[in-house]
Amino acid sequence: QVQLVESGGGSVQAGGSLRLSCAASGRINIMGWYRQAPGNQREMVAVITSGGSTSYADSVRGRFTISRDDAKNTVYLQMNSLKPEDTAVYYCKAVRFNEYWGQGTQVTVSS
């Protein structure tokens, strides 16, 4: 069983930045960030593999950067140039034989 602890959410004005962190209780293969806005389905934001390959949603490419520190079993999401449409609950997801989800952290971007 892997436990995930997220941190770093909050409120920011448009154009601002936030960094999310997700610490896993063990080694993880694939880690990613997903988000869900009210009334919307959960969507992939960014994913990083154990080899460091990354994938981004078109809506965040160029503004968000995902990275990982395997020594700390932690994945980060640096979010720059935030827009009101980035407002959502952000969830960390980890894959190691099974899928594990964090509890979610709220990100609110005001115009």
Side-chain angles (χ1 to χ4, degrees):
Q1 186 78 7
V2 174
Q3 295 179 338
L4 304 174
V5 179
E6 301 159 349
S7 60
S11 297
V12 66
Q13 289 190 329
S17 299
L18 287 172
R19 189 175 85 150
L20 306 182
S21 300
C22 174
S25 59
R27 184 169 178 80
I28 297 296
N29 294 335
I30 299 172
M31 301 189 79
W33 289 96
Y34 292 70
R35 67 187 181 187
Q36 186 167 18
N40 291 355
Q41 292 186 337
R42 192 172 297 188
E43 63 177 0
M44 187 274 286
V45 175
V47 173
I48 185 166
T49 69
S50 57
S53 297
T54 58
S55 297
Y56 295 93
D58 290 342
S59 59
V60 307
R61 188 175 292 112
R63 300 188 297 122
F64 291 10
T65 302
I66 190 170
S67 61
R68 61 190 292 163
D69 184 340
D70 289 336
K72 299 180 179 179
N73 294 323
T74 299
V75 64
Y76 305 96
L77 185 68
Q78 178 66 43
M79 304 185 294
N80 298 328
S81 302
L82 282 160
K83 304 176 181 180
E85 51 264 43
D86 294 319
T87 295
V89 178
Y90 284 68
Y91 296 91
C92 175
K93 175 184 172 182
V95 179
R96 178 177 164 82
F97 305 117
N98 295 303
E99 291 184 355
Y100 303 91
W101 290 90
Q103 78 282 3
T105 184
Q106 177 70 45
V107 171
T108 302
V109 184
S110 58
S111 57

